Amino acid sequence: MKKNKPSALVQALGSGLAGAVAVTLLHETVRHLRPADAPRMDVLGERGLRKLLGKADAPQPDEESAYYLTMAGDLLSNGLYYSLVGRGKGTWWRGVALGVAAGVGGVVLPGPMGLGEAPSNRTPQTKAMTVAWYLVGGVVAAGVSRWWSKSRKS
């Protein structure tokens, strides 16, 4: 590996983080602009956190701490997930596929996981936005990865 050139792992993690930041910014912005039907993945995250802590008999955080822990967990988990976009051929298709899969999972899985359905499934618009936001995250991760690859060549 040449000096001053980031490794494939750094590129994947950086691209994944960019996708995670994009999806989180979308969720957080739209939930303030359209409170009636915006996806509330923050609510699902807090429910998951509280459920996990309850099973571990750990103390429950206050509302503000739960929110910030959830945001940190979302950035970490989504960043790792979107890092699967990787680099090279097929980056765009991987970004689209990962984004759509995450969005569909965000609509379909919360109910069976005992987290409730309303935060991501309450209206057709909520479902569509959930899938769309995660798709945007995948496309951003792919775009950053492609940009990174091009900048490495120069």
Side-chain angles (χ1 to χ4, degrees):
M1 182 168 84
K2 293 182 182 179
K3 290 189 182 227
N4 299 326
K5 301 251 180 179
S7 70
L9 178 62
V10 171
Q11 180 176 343
L13 292 173
S15 300
L17 181 60
V21 167
V23 76
T24 301
L25 284 174
L26 269 169
H27 279 299
E28 288 300 296
T29 301
V30 176
R31 82 177 177 92
H32 288 94
L33 298 175
R34 295 183 60 136
D37 62 358
R40 292 299 308 271
M41 304 316 273
D42 58 311
V43 171
L44 288 175
E46 285 184 38
R47 288 177 184 173
L49 173 66
R50 291 191 183 286
K51 190 174 184 177
L52 184 65
L53 291 173
K55 288 188 183 276
D57 290 325
Q60 293 290 326
D62 61 60
E63 287 296 317
E64 184 178 9
S65 297
Y67 173 79
Y68 287 114
L69 286 168
T70 298
M71 288 298 106
D74 282 349
L75 288 170
L76 177 64
S77 61
N78 286 333
L80 290 172
Y81 177 76
Y82 286 127
S83 73
L84 296 173
V85 164
R87 65 181 192 180
K89 291 184 181 186
T91 304
W92 290 109
W93 289 113
R94 282 191 303 277
V96 168
L98 287 167
V100 169
V104 170
V107 171
V108 174
L109 295 176
M113 293 173 69
L115 302 175
E117 295 181 3
S120 64
N121 204 2
R122 93 185 140 271
T123 69
Q125 292 85 359
T126 307
K127 293 176 190 178
M129 283 187 270
T130 299
V131 174
W133 297 173
Y134 283 102
L135 172 59
V136 167
V139 170
V140 166
V144 169
S145 181
R146 295 301 300 153
W147 168 82
W148 203 316
S149 289
K150 287 180 182 178
S151 71
R152 290 178 67 194
K153 291 178 183 175
S154 2

